[in-house]
Amino acid sequence: MNFEIITNQTGEYTREIMEAVARISGSSDFADLITIAILFGGLWLGFKAAFTGEVKVSGKWIMTCVIIYQCLMVPKSTVLITDRGRPAYNATINNVPIGLALFASYTSKIGNGIAELFEMNFSLPSDLNYNNTGMLFGANIVRDQTKQRFPTPSFAINMDNFIKQCVLMDLALGNKYTIDELKSSGDIWDLITTTYAQSKVKMFPYQINGTEELVTCENGAGKIQANMSKETDDVFENWYKKLFGKPDTVSAKNYMITKLGVSNQYLMDMSQDASEALKQSMVINAIYDAAENNASLSDSYAKSRMRDQTRKTYKAIGMDIAYWMVLTRGCLEVILYAIFPFMFLMFCLPIGITVFKSWVFSLVWIQSWPIMFAIINLIYTLETKSSLVAAEGKITMSNIDSVINQDVAYMAGYLMMATPLLMLKLLQGGIGGAGAHLSSMLTGVGSGTASQVAGEMSTGNMSIGNSSLNNHSYD
């Protein structure tokens, strides 16, 4: 019989585990362990019957043990592993005990099926659904595109020199584009090289093949433009490698262009090509890096400090949890598959039915997480879309910060910490006492930050932006 197990970015681990379980369950050593477990169970019930006279229990255990062995271990099956996040790790494994294959297959199908049912009725594009691309994928790549830099060191240096000597100089002289034009432009590179032609007189140092030469701003802009496409291609390839591993240059580039294009279109109503949008972000970052902007505090100390610290705390925890909770779920899922041989030995003992129920319950619990993930993914994506309405379909120097900062979205990621406890309590029949724990977890960051800032304000000990390096103390 064939059984399909659905995973999300853990297909490689699942394949290794299933192959190991198939080898273990077919070995003579494991058969000896089963014999020892049955003998131990018999001795256990023998002593119990001798002291309590409960002979019926022994007969019931023998029948249960035979049924479990004949139904869960003897029949073998073929497992088809389907990795939704990394199709390259799809695999087929033979000779897997039917007890593991059956329950792993049905629980994974039910969990993913319910999550898919939710997402089918959500308004998100399929490329942004949790089951297709993973947790928070669309919002994350839209945000991450605003952080990209030119990857080749020599190209980055040439761009930096060009911006300092040509672009910032033009801004200082005020004889071409204004700072407002630069900040509001949806295609800065076109603005500074085509709309306003670069100078044929001003020069900047340009590196090529390990040597440096002086070129005019006009010629230098042409040289940079000639290599711009290679830079964006390299970014897409490295980006894909970071997210999925095993990149093929062409497919990695096309995959990222497609996914980023869909995400930009849905979240920002952007019609601009994904490569052009990425180039725009990298040029903006290059200008900021060259100008070395150090914005001063514009709000009152207490308001800005508390809001910024709370946001950064939720961001650090939320974004970290968004990644690690998905990985943790995958690892726990694989562990539950891996311990099947050991659990089967426990099944052969008088407590086998209780242990069996516990193992199946754990499978159901771990497969219930994707339902919550799908809902949180919707919240995160819709909030990101809402926060980017003001972007008006383009990334500019004026709105790039709004692409990065999404407070409710970070909170949604932070909520993922509640998923294991919440689903466990719901499966057990209600949240009960877990409500107080969840409330404390969700309000702790904001109240802690407010208390800290209030203490600083009342004592007058206000501190922000302090740096400390290589401090030493000697007796």
Side-chain angles (χ1 to χ4, degrees), residues 26 49 101 141 146 151 159 242 252 266 292 310 317 332 341 362 398 464 471:
I141 63 172
T146 65
M159 177 63 81
K242 178 182 177 182
Y266 179 77
E292 296 180 346
T310 302
I317 297 175
L332 288 175
S362 298
S398 298
I464 191 168
N471 293 329

Coordinates of all heavy atoms in Angstrom, one line a residue, residues 26 49 101 141 146 151 159 242 252 266 292 310 317 332 341 362 398 464 471:
G26 N 13.1 -3.9 10.0 CA 13.3 -5.1 9.2 C 14.5 -5.9 9.7 O 14.8 -6.9 9.1
A49 N -0.8 -11.0 38.3 CA -1.8 -12.0 38.5 C -1.6 -12.9 39.7 O -2.5 -13.3 40.4 CB -1.9 -13.0 37.2
A101 N 3.3 4.5 8.8 CA 2.9 5.2 7.5 C 1.5 5.6 7.6 O 1.1 6.7 7.1 CB 3.1 4.2 6.3
I141 N 9.6 38.5 2.0 CA 10.4 38.9 0.8 C 10.2 40.3 0.4 O 11.1 40.9 -0.2 CB 10.2 37.9 -0.4 CG1 8.8 37.9 -0.9 CG2 10.6 36.5 0.1 CD1 8.7 37.1 -2.2
T146 N 14.0 45.3 0.6 CA 14.4 46.7 0.9 C 15.7 46.7 1.7 O 16.3 47.8 2.0 CB 13.3 47.4 1.8 OG1 13.2 46.7 3.1 CG2 12.0 47.4 1.1
P151 N 26.0 42.9 -4.2 CA 26.8 41.8 -3.6 C 28.3 41.9 -3.9 O 29.1 41.4 -3.2 CB 26.1 40.5 -4.0 CG 25.5 40.9 -5.3 CD 25.1 42.3 -5.2
M159 N 29.8 52.1 -7.1 CA 28.5 52.7 -6.9 C 28.6 53.8 -5.8 O 28.1 54.9 -5.9 CB 27.4 51.7 -6.5 CG 26.0 52.3 -6.2 SD 25.3 53.1 -7.6 CE 24.6 51.7 -8.5
K242 N 19.6 31.1 0.4 CA 19.4 31.4 1.8 C 18.0 30.8 2.3 O 17.9 30.2 3.4 CB 19.4 32.9 2.1 CG 19.1 33.2 3.6 CD 19.1 34.7 3.8 CE 18.8 35.1 5.2 NZ 18.7 36.6 5.4
A252 N 16.5 29.5 -9.8 CA 16.5 30.3 -8.6 C 16.1 31.7 -9.0 O 15.2 32.3 -8.3 CB 17.8 30.3 -8.0
Y266 N 0.5 42.2 -5.0 CA -0.6 42.0 -4.1 C -0.5 43.0 -2.9 O -1.5 43.7 -2.5 CB -0.7 40.6 -3.6 CG -1.8 40.4 -2.5 CD1 -3.2 40.3 -3.0 CD2 -1.5 40.3 -1.2 CE1 -4.2 40.1 -2.0 CE2 -2.6 40.2 -0.3 CZ -3.9 40.1 -0.7 OH -4.9 39.9 0.2
E292 N 25.5 58.4 4.7 CA 25.7 58.2 6.1 C 24.7 59.0 6.9 O 25.1 59.8 7.8 CB 27.1 58.5 6.5 CG 28.2 57.6 5.9 CD 29.6 57.9 6.3 OE1 29.8 59.0 6.9 OE2 30.4 57.1 6.1
T310 N 9.5 48.9 22.2 CA 8.5 47.9 22.2 C 8.4 47.2 20.8 O 8.3 46.0 20.6 CB 7.1 48.5 22.5 OG1 7.2 49.1 23.8 CG2 6.0 47.4 22.5
I317 N 11.4 39.2 18.7 CA 10.8 38.0 19.1 C 9.9 37.4 18.0 O 9.9 36.3 17.7 CB 10.0 38.2 20.4 CG1 10.9 38.7 21.5 CG2 9.2 36.9 20.8 CD1 10.2 39.0 22.8
L332 N 9.8 18.4 15.6 CA 9.0 17.6 16.4 C 8.2 16.5 15.7 O 8.1 15.4 16.1 CB 8.0 18.5 17.2 CG 8.6 19.3 18.3 CD1 7.5 20.2 18.9 CD2 9.3 18.5 19.4
P341 N 9.8 3.0 16.4 CA 10.3 1.7 16.8 C 10.3 1.5 18.3 O 9.9 0.5 18.9 CB 11.7 1.6 16.2 CG 11.6 2.5 15.0 CD 10.8 3.6 15.4
S362 N -0.2 12.9 20.0 CA 0.9 13.9 19.8 C 1.0 14.2 18.3 O 1.3 15.3 17.9 CB 2.2 13.2 20.2 OG 2.2 13.1 21.6
S398 N 11.2 57.8 0.5 CA 10.3 58.4 1.4 C 9.5 57.3 2.1 O 9.1 57.4 3.3 CB 9.3 59.4 0.8 OG 10.0 60.5 0.2
I464 N 20.0 56.7 26.0 CA 19.7 56.2 24.7 C 21.0 56.2 23.8 O 21.7 57.2 23.8 CB 18.5 56.9 24.0 CG1 18.1 56.1 22.8 CG2 18.9 58.3 23.6 CD1 16.7 56.5 22.2
N471 N 35.8 47.1 27.3 CA 36.0 47.5 28.7 C 36.7 46.5 29.5 O 36.5 45.3 29.4 CB 34.6 47.8 29.3 CG 33.9 49.0 28.7 OD1 34.6 49.9 28.2 ND2 32.6 48.9 28.6

